[in-house]
């Protein structure tokens, strides 16, 4: 007789990952899945750049990938509507922006409302947009960090799921602060996805309620 444990019979949530470059967050998600810390499967990686290193990572792990070139579409909405079709076709339930450096169009946001997560390398609402780590260093912030949030129509404005804080030291450069923040990104992104997979996230207005909040206390603030 074959005995199936609860983990094996639980349907794994299907992820669609969008990335533009190096893909270290994509790798952290793959690693969390392979280590059994994340009950998810990656149905597709979509990149907007042909040379994104994330594609190499997908190949190494046998994950399907697509390069969809924005230049081949007449405008942003047509581009993102095509991406939405590709995601739907594969039954994707949660869209992950893992270093995807484009403002997402409403033709993707509307069909995947509260089902698109982004990671941003600052404690939002501080330092949205590009070069967030440089913004924090230049501003003289003493603490920065990273934020996983749901995506809405604004620039890095959607409901916040998890944040992790890191110190900013005298003498930090954009690079040294980016490295410190990235370590936390790799922890909190898989955690936020796992919370979603377990059905523990509820969006109420602009706030995200997390069931059994205390379980992840140490990820909300750390140093
Ligand atoms: C990460 O630091 C991520 O937070 C940031 O780009 C980097 C991608 O690295 N994203 C943004 O700035 C989005 N506004 P990765 O390709 O190695 O994951």
């Amino acid at each position: 007789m074959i005995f199936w444990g609860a983990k094996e019979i639980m349907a794994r949530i299907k992820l669609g990952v969008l990335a533009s470059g190096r893909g270290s967050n994509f790798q952290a998600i793959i690693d969390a899945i392979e280590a059994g810390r994340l009950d998810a499967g990656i149905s597709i990686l979509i990149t907007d750049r042909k040379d994104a290193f994330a594609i190499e990572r997908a190949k190494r792990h046998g994950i399907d990938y697509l390069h969809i070139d924005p230049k081949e579409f007449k405008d942003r909405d047509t581009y993102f509507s095509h991406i939405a079709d590709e995601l739907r076709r594969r039954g994707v339930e949660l869209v992950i922006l893992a270093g995807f450096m484009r403002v997402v169009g409403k033709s993707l946001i509307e069909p995947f409302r509260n089902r698109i997560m982004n990671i941003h390398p600052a404690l939002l609402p501080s330092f949205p947009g590009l070069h967030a780590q440089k913004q924090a260093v230049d501003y003289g912030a003493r603490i920065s960090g990273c934020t996983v949030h749901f995506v809405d129509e604004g620039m890095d404005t959607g409901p916040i799921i998890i944040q992790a804080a890191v110190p900013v030291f005298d003498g930090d450069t954009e690079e040294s602060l980016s490295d410190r923040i990235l370590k936390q990104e790799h922890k909190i992104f898989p955690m936020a996805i796992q919370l979603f997979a377990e059905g523990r996230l509820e969006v109420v207005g602009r706030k995200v309620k997390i069931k059994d909040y205390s379980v992840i206390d140490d990820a909300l603030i750390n140093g």
Side-chain angles (χ1 to χ4, degrees):
M1 195 175 89
I2 300 171
F3 177 76
W4 295 98
K7 263 205 158 139
E8 280 135 317
I9 56 171
M10 199 159 68
R12 294 185 142 239
I13 187 170
K14 290 186 180 172
L15 308 178
V17 178
L18 272 55
S20 296
R22 177 178 62 175
S24 74
N25 276 289
F26 175 47
Q27 185 70 52
I29 293 162
I30 295 170
D31 293 346
I33 292 171
E34 292 183 352
R37 281 181 282 118
L38 178 51
D39 298 313
I42 301 174
S43 301
I44 188 77
L45 166 76
I46 297 178
T47 70
D48 57 339
R49 295 178 57 114
K50 204 163 78 183
D51 60 354
F53 188 71
I55 292 174
E56 292 308 313
R57 299 182 193 270
K59 284 182 187 165
R60 286 178 197 167
H61 292 269
I63 295 167
D64 286 347
Y65 62 90
L66 282 173
H67 164 236
I68 307 183
D69 188 350
K71 289 201 278 304
E72 287 171 14
F73 296 82
K74 73 172 180 350
D75 56 27
R76 190 145 59 105
D77 272 330
T78 324
Y79 179 62
F80 281 102
S81 146
H82 182 77
I83 289 180
D85 287 345
E86 292 289 353
L87 295 169
R88 260 193 303 252
R89 217 154 60 78
R90 293 171 171 81
V92 165
E93 297 161 278
L94 180 65
V95 182
I96 301 298
L97 307 186
F100 185 66
M101 301 313 229
R102 261 169 213 282
V103 176
V104 174
K106 68 174 178 357
S107 51
L108 177 60
I109 295 173
E110 278 167 5
F112 285 91
R113 175 80 55 196
N114 294 334
R115 291 193 295 135
I116 308 174
M117 275 186 198
N118 181 46
I119 183 114
H120 182 76
L123 292 177
L124 292 171
S126 291
F127 313 127
L130 292 176
H131 307 295
Q133 303 96 327
K134 182 173 187 311
Q135 290 184 56
V137 170
D138 290 351
Y139 197 86
R142 293 295 190 188
I143 294 179
S144 191
C146 48
T147 303
V148 182
H149 65 95
F150 286 116
V151 172
D152 66 8
E153 283 78 0
M155 164 80 84
D156 301 322
T157 54
I160 290 170
I161 304 164
I162 303 184
Q163 296 185 302
V166 305
V168 184
F169 297 123
D170 290 348
D172 256 335
T173 60
E174 179 181 4
E175 290 70 31
S176 62
L177 180 60
S178 299
D179 289 348
R180 195 172 308 123
I181 291 174
L182 195 63
K183 289 198 181 78
Q184 298 301 323
E185 295 185 34
H186 295 165
K187 277 198 226 166
I188 68 171
F189 214 177
M191 276 181 179
I193 299 167
Q194 179 63 15
L195 288 171
F196 185 98
E198 291 174 8
R200 288 167 59 193
L201 300 181
E202 188 192 355
V203 180
V204 183
R206 72 145 293 112
K207 291 189 184 166
V208 177
K209 292 208 186 303
I210 306 178
K211 289 189 202 117
D212 301 326
Y213 179 85
S214 62
V215 176
I216 55 155
D217 263 354
D218 72 331
L220 294 172
I221 302 175
N222 53 51

